[in-house]
Amino acid sequence: MKEQLTQALIAGNADLVNALTQALLAGGTPAREILDDALLPGMEVVGARMRSGECFIPEVLLSARTMQGALDILKPHLGEGEGAGLGTVVLGTVEGDLHDIGKNLVGMLLQGAGFTVVNLGTGVTAQQFVAAVREHSPALVGMSALLTTTLTHMAETLAALKEAGLREQVKVMVGGAPVTQAFADSLGADGYGANAGMAVDRAKALVAQATTT
Ligand code: B1M
């Protein structure tokens, strides 16, 4: 059934994806397994087809919306807040970038792990991140970028936090397909997650580190 789900996601068949996701959950398949074994591989295929020119924006958008629908179904099952009270994370996709599936997934898993997530959405400017840090006093700021052209806004946000005198108060984590550990290091970010699971592990470690220093 997982293979069928992958194919339905690639085809952007929302009704079938929703039905299969619900059927797998009802049959006892853990939400993380549905995500890792069926949905994420489907988005990988969509990405590869986009790259090779085999499919175009409307098809990609259809799969993306279908993926978001499946994530909404999985959301209540992605962790039960096992570490409730870990602190607040301000999360957003950087300026100029509309990709939000990965960022939303990171947000859901952080929430599932016990963080309070303030999701600022997409196209978040450096000044909007700064304003959100002032407003919510988070333990962590998370920035996502999927376009190589928008990576520069991560550096801008870090500079803006520094200029506002807020950089020492928060840990900053970055991620997204073009982001690497080396890039995160070059920015001076505190953490990087190659995927949503690693992002959660890194966030927990950063918060634990902040409370012991
Ligand atoms: Co776009 N797009 N897209 N796209 N799109 C990519 C990113 C691209 C690689 C496709 C390609 O050419 N193969 C390419 C970028 C090339 C580059 O920059 N070098 C690209 C392009 C070019 C574009 C447009 C410019 C196309 C155009 O208009 N000509 C345009 C840009 C719009 C804009 O942002 N201004 C565009 C538009 C779109 C859609 C709207 C159609 C749609 C987005 C819908 C949406 O997000 N609501 C879309 C999609 C779906 C994709 C691909 C196919 C899939 C992205 C995705 O959702 N992956 C993507 C190809 C690819 O990445 N292989 C592509 C699934 C998701 C779960 O993974 O987001 O990587 P990901 O998140 C992962 C990790 O990266 C990590 O954890 C997540 C879960 O494991 N992670 C973090 C993410 N954020 C993190 C933050 C963290 C830690 C970890 O800490 C805070």
Side-chain angles (χ1 to χ4, degrees):
M1 207 192 290
K2 284 191 262 179
E3 176 55 28
Q4 213 186 336
L5 178 54
T6 304
Q7 293 308 325
L9 177 63
I10 295 167
N13 185 338
D15 289 344
L16 186 55
V17 164
N18 292 347
L20 289 170
T21 303
Q22 264 150 354
L24 281 163
L25 279 174
T29 309
R32 281 296 284 271
E33 198 177 307
I34 299 173
L35 194 58
D36 290 341
D37 296 354
L39 297 172
L40 290 175
M43 286 309 291
E44 275 300 314
V45 173
V46 173
R49 289 189 180 171
M50 187 182 179
R51 206 161 28 241
S52 65
E54 263 176 273
C55 76
F56 301 97
I57 302 294
E59 290 114 300
V60 178
L61 206 46
L62 205 59
S63 293
R65 287 197 184 131
T66 303
M67 173 81 175
Q68 194 58 59
L71 288 181
D72 290 342
I73 295 171
L74 293 183
K75 190 175 177 181
H77 306 275
L78 288 169
E80 302 298 335
E82 75 264 21
L86 287 180
T88 298
V89 180
V90 159
L91 188 65
T93 302
V94 298
E95 185 177 356
D97 204 320
L98 298 174
H99 296 87
D100 64 357
I101 296 174
K103 182 260 302 168
N104 289 343
L105 187 52
V106 170
M108 283 177 200
L109 294 197
L110 284 171
Q111 212 165 1
F115 287 94
T116 300
V117 176
V118 179
N119 192 335
L120 302 178
T122 60
V124 182
T125 64
Q127 288 312 320
Q128 285 170 325
F129 275 111
V130 168
V133 170
R134 286 211 176 97
E135 185 181 346
H136 302 285
S137 303
L140 196 83
V141 170
M143 285 186 273
S144 180
L146 265 285
L147 298 173
T148 45
T149 48
T150 58
L151 288 176
T152 50
H153 296 301
M154 289 183 163
E156 268 174 37
T157 303
L158 277 156
L161 286 170
K162 204 170 174 184
E163 200 176 318
L166 298 167
R167 180 65 185 97
E168 299 307 315
Q169 294 174 33
V170 283
K171 297 290 182 189
V172 175
M173 188 164 77
V174 292
V179 180
T180 60
Q181 182 66 61
F183 179 75
D185 293 343
S186 75
L187 284 178
D190 303 296
Y192 157 72
N195 57 48
M198 287 166 79
V200 171
D201 292 344
R202 192 71 189 116
K204 283 181 179 169
L206 285 172
V207 168
Q209 185 189 326
T211 51
T212 54
T213 50

